[in-house]
Amino acid sequence: MNNTWLFILQAATIVLVLALIYRPLGDYMAQVYSTPKNMRVERGFYRLIGVNPASEQTWPVYLRSVLAFSAIGVLAVYLLQRIQEILPYSLGLPAVEQSLAWNTAISFVTNTNWQSYSPELTMGYTVQLVGLAVQNFVSAAVGIAVAVALIRGLASRKSTTIGNFWVDLTRGVVRILLPLSVIAAIVLIFSGVIQNFAGFQHITTLTGSTQTIPGGPVASQEAIKELGTNGGGFFNANSSHPFENPTGWSSLFEIVLLLAIPFSLPRTFGRMVGDNRQGYAILSAMGLIWVVSAALLTLLESVGSGTASQLAGGAMEGKEVRFGIVGSSLFATSSTLTSTGAVNSMHDSFTSLGGGLIMVNMMLGEVAPGGVGSGLYGILVMAIVAVFVAGLMIGRTPEYLGKKIGSREVKLASIYILITPTLVLAGTALSFAIPAVQKSVVGTSMANTGLHGYSEVLYAFTSAANNNGSAFAGLTASTPWFDTALGVAMLLGRFLPIVFVLALAGSFAAQDKIPTTSGTLPTHRPQFIGLLVGTIVIVSALTYLPVLALGPLAEGLK
């Protein structure tokens, strides 16, 4: 079967499964965040931390709760790594070096999961489970909570509150992520993903030499890694490792996992604002970008230049034969259009234009469908900008879901959009502009020089600032400069946008609903979907085209 038909078959399978779960999962999540009832285990947790679940928070209090919880998470994960050698199940591994521990703590708390180390040779089971796996759950729950807070702001009338962060966080973990992860882990074990505490097994090969085989609780990690759009692998090879992703169908299942919640949240949005058509409009914009990107990446990798690529039926370097061009392209598209960062192939080995495309996926703001929660609030901010642009064109005060978009809302949305590009461009520029840093980067970190070496650094900051976590692996990022700079990019790239999203939620919540009139812009029709997609693409193109022209575009057209 040629790649065209294979792409159609695999993409259609993914779309069919996502279509089947869209309504039930989306409706269930809307019910989770709308019901006043609390489960017994939740009530016990609220008593433990001294929270009144019936008390709602203003947006500044909600924000402080998010930041305080995340700060505690950074400190806890950092401490676990620094005392690893005295922890049980450390596998005899030493404490993690301080700059790497800082980078890793921020990485997992921000839902980035950037890993500039070999996990199986660096982290013992206690750090993996108590530190990293816990953050995989709660960082994903934080993203959903912030998205739900924005939805409440759009749905409320003259309210000073947007919900209770501690309730939203707890429900996201207990009612959504935990049960779904248990089901996913069982399926992964059935597919051949390992789950044990065997440590390092030393075996004798057929040739008489010895080999060390690492084991571990991989399936449970893999489930939440994909479902929570985290991406950090138990093994250095991530989802290309047969212990994490053994077969072609397990790879498709993992793609479904990382897309399931982000593509179902528009249904949750539609239900909570009382108009399912709004959810379908957001879903359509997300889906259109995903399909176009996946098809284009498959095409670019299938027609890779050079004799070797043509004989192999495409650019197969860095790709697993069991996944092929199509399976690798679908996975790469899905992981870079979300904030997952997981890989089943080596992105550094993609064709120049193919590697540039997966970089563009992140530069779009990861809104198609984006990370768990972050994708929805990201595309809603872009929808606000699109409505504002439309209002300018027709000479009317822009409105979205009955809420006026005034100067305050436009400023908040504009600053939100500028944060990530500023971090990406500044980080990349400083890596080459500061003489001492440039010497370290060019002399130590870059396995490739010239255009591709530049692309590796650009990819690293794009991935970090967008909280993705994937990498062009030719870059050695375990240096003091990259540990520090990428850590700052991840930290600011996660929490600065949340500040402005929650400020938007508070601003909208305080407004009353404006009645719909004949002059109101319909935001559920194909015209608006096209305007939204165009806004996303144009904003990204104007921002990033110059730096792309210096790297992957120049390399691909050379």
Side-chain angles (χ1 to χ4, degrees):
M1 184 181 296
N2 63 36
N3 285 339
T4 301
W5 287 108
L6 196 58
F7 171 80
I8 292 173
L9 177 63
Q10 293 192 18
T13 301
I14 294 169
V15 170
L16 176 61
V17 175
L18 293 174
L20 290 174
I21 65 176
Y22 172 74
R23 290 187 62 176
L25 182 55
D27 289 350
Y28 173 70
M29 289 191 290
Q31 189 271 337
V32 164
Y33 291 105
S34 301
T35 181
K37 297 180 180 179
N38 297 299
M39 297 171 63
R40 179 178 298 179
V41 65
E42 294 169 348
R43 292 194 296 269
F45 178 70
Y46 301 145
R47 285 194 296 268
L48 179 65
I49 63 175
V51 168
N52 178 7
S55 175
E56 294 205 344
Q57 299 171 319
T58 61
W59 79 262
V61 177
Y62 200 103
L63 173 62
R64 288 198 295 270
S65 299
V66 171
L67 297 179
F69 177 76
S70 300
I72 292 171
V74 170
L75 292 174
V77 177
Y78 178 84
L79 179 61
L80 282 170
Q81 294 175 87
R82 295 294 290 151
I83 64 171
Q84 173 171 256
E85 58 190 340
I86 65 173
L87 295 175
Y89 290 103
S90 66
L91 306 181
L93 296 171
V96 180
E97 186 270 328
Q98 59 183 3
S99 64
L100 180 58
W102 138 272
N103 182 280
T104 303
I106 289 176
S107 174
F108 278 79
V109 170
T110 58
N111 199 244
T112 309
N113 290 34
W114 173 272
Q115 295 173 295
S116 53
Y117 58 91
S118 296
E120 67 270 35
L121 301 178
T122 308
M123 306 292 182
Y125 294 160
T126 301
V127 174
Q128 288 268 23
L129 293 174
V130 179
L132 307 188
V134 168
Q135 289 304 318
N136 281 347
F137 280 97
V138 297
S139 66
V142 167
I144 302 176
V146 173
V148 168
L150 179 58
I151 296 172
R152 290 197 189 104
L154 290 166
S156 300
R157 291 173 178 266
K158 293 185 175 180
S159 175
T160 59
T161 60
I162 57 173
N164 187 310
F165 168 72
W166 304 105
V167 172
D168 294 340
L169 173 73
T170 304
R171 290 182 177 184
V173 172
V174 173
R175 303 193 192 188
I176 298 172
L177 296 171
L178 265 175
L180 291 178
S181 293
V182 170
I183 296 170
I186 293 172
V187 175
L188 288 171
I189 291 171
F190 178 76
S191 75
V193 178
I194 67 170
Q195 180 76 12
N196 59 54
F197 289 89
F200 297 106
Q201 300 293 307
H202 304 282
I203 65 169
T204 302
T205 67
L206 294 176
T207 61
S209 60
T210 59
Q211 185 174 357
T212 302
I213 306 295
V218 179
S220 56
Q221 287 271 75
E222 195 75 10
I224 186 58
K225 159 191 153 183
E226 310 294 11
L227 188 66
T229 60
N230 295 284
F234 197 92
F235 298 103
N236 192 40
N238 208 281
S239 290
S240 64
H241 197 294
F243 286 177
E244 286 196 31
N245 190 7
T247 64
W249 79 262
S250 69
S251 187
L252 282 180
F253 178 68
E254 291 188 14
I255 294 173
V256 170
L257 282 181
L258 62 91
L259 295 175
I261 293 177
F263 264 130
S264 297
L265 277 172
R267 175 71 179 188
T268 304
F269 164 67
R271 286 294 300 272
M272 293 182 71
V273 299
D275 188 351
N276 287 328
R277 298 175 303 173
Q278 302 296 334
Y280 283 118
I282 296 297
L283 175 69
S284 299
M286 289 176 169
L288 179 61
I289 295 173
W290 182 84
V291 169
V292 171
S293 178
L296 184 56
L297 182 59
T298 302
L299 175 64
L300 291 172
E301 295 303 298
S302 296
V303 297
S305 60
T307 305
S309 295
Q310 293 171 3
L311 291 175
M316 280 298 295
E317 178 190 325
K319 299 179 178 67
E320 294 291 313
V321 174
R322 66 185 186 278
F323 305 140
I325 295 288
V326 174
S328 301
S329 298
L330 284 171
F331 202 105
T333 297
S334 300
S335 68
T336 52
L337 278 173
T338 61
S339 66
T340 309
V343 296
N344 74 348
S345 57
M346 297 300 103
H347 291 181
D348 202 19
S349 294
F350 276 45
T351 61
S352 301
L353 295 179
L357 179 58
I358 56 180
M359 211 183 301
V360 168
N361 287 343
M362 294 183 286
M363 291 173 173
L364 291 176
E366 295 178 337
V367 294
V372 169
S374 62
L376 180 62
Y377 65 66
I379 201 169
L380 288 178
V381 170
M382 296 304 299
I384 291 166
V385 174
V387 170
F388 175 71
V389 171
L392 292 178
M393 290 191 292
I394 62 176
R396 287 183 56 88
T397 300
E399 306 165 10
Y400 187 53
L401 301 180
K403 299 298 180 81
K404 284 186 178 181
I405 301 175
S407 60
R408 171 180 167 82
E409 289 75 24
V410 172
K411 289 175 183 176
L412 291 172
S414 299
I415 296 172
Y416 173 97
I417 292 172
L418 290 172
I419 291 169
T420 303
T422 300
L423 294 172
V424 172
L425 300 179
T428 304
L430 290 174
S431 296
F432 294 103
I434 301 175
V437 174
Q438 181 194 39
K439 183 177 180 181
S440 170
V441 171
V442 176
T444 305
S445 297
M446 291 170 56
N448 299 283
T449 57
L451 298 175
H452 194 71
Y454 165 81
S455 296
E456 290 175 345
V457 176
L458 177 62
Y459 191 107
F461 281 98
T462 302
S463 178
N466 283 282
N467 299 138
N468 183 272
S470 63
F472 272 4
L475 181 73
T476 301
S478 56
T479 65
W481 164 251
F482 281 118
D483 280 340
T484 304
L486 294 176
V488 171
M490 289 184 281
L491 196 66
L492 298 180
R494 172 71 162 181
F495 294 112
L496 281 183
I498 285 177
V499 171
F500 296 102
V501 168
L502 292 177
L504 273 172
S507 181
F508 285 130
Q511 296 184 31
D512 196 5
K513 289 274 188 177
I514 301 172
T516 302
T517 66
S518 59
T520 301
L521 173 69
T523 53
H524 61 276
R525 294 180 179 172
Q527 296 94 321
F528 180 74
I529 296 170
L531 176 63
L532 176 56
V533 172
T535 301
I536 294 169
V537 173
I538 291 171
V539 167
S540 299
L542 292 176
T543 304
Y544 290 110
L545 184 59
V547 291
L548 289 170
L550 293 174
L553 290 178
E555 186 181 4
L557 299 174
K558 184 173 63 174

